[in-house]
Amino acid sequence: MILVVTFSRGARTTLRNVCRSHDDTVVRRFGRAALLSETEWGAFLACRLRAKHGADVQVERTEPFNEFAAVRPAVREAAAAYEDRDAPSTPYAKFAAGADRDHPDPAAMRDAEL
């Protein structure tokens, strides 16, 4: 997919008009951003926005996030366990350091590439 993010009022207006006129190409709209289908037409619309508004429009190519392919099981299990914790106010670092838990260290996860 193609992610288009706008940074000015004029660019947002143009993006809104593009999304309304070409809703068959819009995968999802997020206010000042939109995901366009990865087609030549989607690329054309993104390039047109960039040509009209310059640096006020950022265009990125995205790919779907597959957590089962990209994330190791220990991280997925830690996320599920953390969401199921008894006290919602417990920070993850304190939760992971618990005596009976073997979850990834937050500092190590910050430095680890997917």
Side-chain angles (χ1 to χ4, degrees), residues 5-71:
V5 182
T6 58
F7 298 102
S8 71
R9 183 175 295 191
R12 284 193 299 276
T13 299
T14 304
L15 177 64
R16 183 177 56 247
N17 292 340
V18 164
C19 289
R20 286 181 180 163
S21 300
H22 306 284
D23 63 336
D24 56 326
T25 305
V26 178
V27 175
R28 186 95 190 251
R29 176 112 161 71
F30 304 100
R32 63 179 57 221
L35 283 171
L36 305 179
S37 62
E38 194 168 345
T39 61
E40 286 186 346
W41 186 248
F44 168 81
L45 294 173
C47 289
R48 178 179 158 234
L49 283 161
R50 184 94 162 136
K52 182 173 184 176
H53 297 285
D56 287 343
V57 174
Q58 179 179 348
V59 178
E60 299 288 335
R61 190 175 196 179
T62 67
E63 62 183 59
F65 177 69
N66 181 344
E67 67 185 270
F68 299 101
V71 181

Side-chain angles (χ1 to χ4, degrees), residues 67-86:
E67 67 185 270
F68 299 101
V71 181
R72 60 190 172 100
V75 174
R76 290 195 314 270
E77 291 164 9
Y82 183 61
E83 278 306 306
D84 196 34
R85 68 193 181 278
D86 294 330

